[in-house]
Amino acid sequence: MIRGDPLNRTIRAAVCAVATAGLALGLSSCSEAVDQVDKAVDETYQVTYEVTGKNVDSIEFHGGGGKAMEPKVESVSKPELPWKKTVTLRGIMPAAVMPVAADPEGAQVTCKIIHKGKVLEEQSADGLVTAGGCTAESPIGR
């Protein structure tokens, strides 16, 4: 990040205002709050997506590209189950995996998001048309 960038200065000023108001998670100074935000934007983390079940037609997931609030969505058609993928995400980008199944005999789907051995999110569904998924908040800055 270029510290002289006008947008960056605006963001830093806004963070300082929040810190000054005492809302920056109890940090002791404006500089400390700004440094934490800068670090969180650039820090990376890994998650593993797992999908199990039957008759899953496709899986869409945040694969690490794009922007924090507009992540690039990748997809796999007709995945072999159980399916597992580890990705590296950045900053506040949420982890998300969305299996989709449409089967007249019924589909079953379970998805998980795992970070450092801990399950952040797990969902299951079954039925004629099953679309859903798992979305987890970034562990950065917690």
Side-chain angles (χ1 to χ4, degrees):
M1 234 187 250
I2 300 171
R3 300 255 185 237
D5 178 16
L7 178 59
N8 189 30
R9 282 195 310 264
T10 302
I11 292 169
R12 292 176 71 83
V15 170
C16 282
V18 170
T20 303
L23 300 174
L25 306 173
L27 296 173
S28 61
S29 73
C30 176
S31 176
E32 214 176 314
V34 170
D35 289 344
Q36 184 175 352
V37 169
D38 283 349
K39 180 183 174 194
V41 168
D42 292 327
E43 192 173 341
T44 61
Y45 68 101
Q46 285 191 329
V47 294
T48 299
Y49 301 130
E50 293 182 4
V51 175
T52 58
K54 67 177 189 174
N55 304 328
V56 173
D57 296 313
S58 66
I59 300 171
E60 294 187 345
F61 59 96
H62 292 171
K67 298 178 183 176
M69 299 314 290
E70 296 176 13
K72 179 181 176 191
V73 177
E74 297 182 27
S75 74
V76 176
S77 294
K78 301 292 183 190
E80 185 176 321
L81 299 178
W83 178 85
K84 184 186 279 192
K85 175 100 175 158
T86 299
V87 299
T88 300
L89 303 174
R90 187 173 65 95
I92 61 170
M93 182 179 289
V97 60
M98 294 125 321
V100 177
D103 190 295
E105 296 174 19
Q108 296 175 338
V109 176
T110 297
C111 62
K112 288 183 188 180
I113 300 173
I114 302 165
H115 175 258
K116 294 185 177 181
K118 179 183 173 192
V119 176
L120 298 179
E121 181 69 19
E122 181 174 5
Q123 296 291 325
S124 294
D126 58 353
L128 176 63
V129 176
T130 302
C134 299
T135 303
E137 179 182 324
S138 168
I140 302 297
R142 285 191 199 183

